[in-house]
Amino acid sequence: MGKVLECFLNYFVYIWRSSQVVRQWSATPVPTGSNPVCASQKPRFSGVFCYFLFSSLSFRLRQCRQRCKYSYKGRENECYTLCGNVSGGRIEKKVKSLIHYYYRGDSLRYYIADLHFFHAAMNVNMDCRGFGSVEEMHEYMIEKWNGKVRHNDDVIIIGDLSWGKAEETNALLKRLNGRLYLISGNHDYFITNKKTDIRRFQWIKPYVELSDNKRKVVLCHYPIMCYNGQYRLDKNGNPKTYMLYGHVHDTIDQRLIDRYQEIVRGTITRNMQGEMQQIPCNMINCFCMYSDYVPLTLDEWIEADKKRRG
């Protein structure tokens, strides 16, 4: 009975502490960004619901931290990282993202590679992007990005985001919509600069395997010819794994990769069931110019890659 009373007391304490913050969120429209529909939407839940949402999350984090003290002595900080910081700022951020979810519905995941912000040589020489200046290139790419990505969408950047200094890159990151994730590329020197605000990224990794709508996605800045899960197909014979990469832009290297995939797909071998089948090979270059600098979903990249190949 004592634990039940303690639970209710904690709930009401956090309700009282969070009431002013949540009232403000309930009364103020969520920033609409690139989604004009949201501007006319009204809150789908009352302030009371917000109070309990906030207090429930706070209470659960507090209980988690208490367990850390008893079960992870000497490693409390690691455990706290898993639980999440109980300070108001972190909790408010989590709850605010939940409120955005209710306003905007399901979030989407996008992919894009080799934007090369602040890299003049890409505009003039290697890619020949055709902009009048680097500044014009920046504004066009940001407009394309924010025209597609909402604030609660996920964008995985498959390397070479920015050639700029830490201050320039920080200013850029503030202008881009979405929750950002970075697969580090060979030109992403900004991530080693202590002045860079890497908190803008949910994570920064050189290689990742993720699930996207019941399919595995292998992500690396550099193309991997023999990637994990390459041979896996569903019951209808559709590929269950895709390898998304960047780095090679629209160069002779990409032409060679296209030829390699044609050779592999045309090769017949015996699978583990003893049946003869063509070898799957589903590598997609998410080069930004292939999508006119717009981040795309996995299905959109699959279609874009088919059109590019003709």
Side-chain angles (χ1 to χ4, degrees), residues 121-248:
M122 293 297 157
N123 183 41
V124 179
N125 298 323
M126 183 174 175
D127 291 341
C128 300
R129 299 186 179 186
F131 295 99
S133 64
V134 174
E135 292 73 23
E136 181 184 336
M137 179 179 75
H138 291 168
E139 293 304 317
Y140 185 82
M141 292 195 295
I142 293 172
E143 180 183 355
K144 286 290 185 177
W145 178 298
N146 290 338
K148 181 71 173 285
V149 179
R150 302 170 299 174
H151 287 283
N152 68 321
D153 290 331
D154 295 322
V155 184
I156 299 181
I157 304 157
I158 313 177
D160 288 359
L161 169 66
S162 172
W163 181 260
K165 299 177 182 178
E167 295 80 5
E168 295 172 324
T169 304
N170 288 340
L172 166 68
L173 294 174
K174 291 178 180 178
R175 298 184 62 186
L176 297 177
N177 288 347
R179 292 188 294 263
L180 308 184
Y181 306 76
L182 178 63
I183 301 293
S184 54
N186 56 308
H187 285 148
D188 290 318
Y189 299 116
F190 68 90
I191 62 178
T192 61
N193 192 321
K194 294 181 179 180
K195 295 181 180 180
T196 303
D197 185 11
I198 59 173
R199 293 175 299 176
R200 184 66 178 86
F201 297 99
Q202 304 297 313
W203 48 250
I204 300 175
K205 300 178 182 180
Y207 174 94
V208 169
E209 294 181 8
L210 300 174
S211 176
D212 190 317
N213 196 20
K214 299 181 180 180
R215 295 162 294 185
K216 174 185 278 189
V217 180
V218 177
L219 297 164
C220 184
H221 180 60
Y222 311 100
I224 300 175
M225 303 303 184
C226 298
Y227 53 92
N228 187 26
Q230 178 178 344
Y231 284 76
R232 295 178 182 173
L233 303 173
D234 63 18
K235 60 182 180 181
N236 298 319
N238 299 315
K240 293 181 67 175
T241 308
Y242 290 86
M243 198 280 128
L244 306 186
Y245 63 94
H247 187 60
V248 296

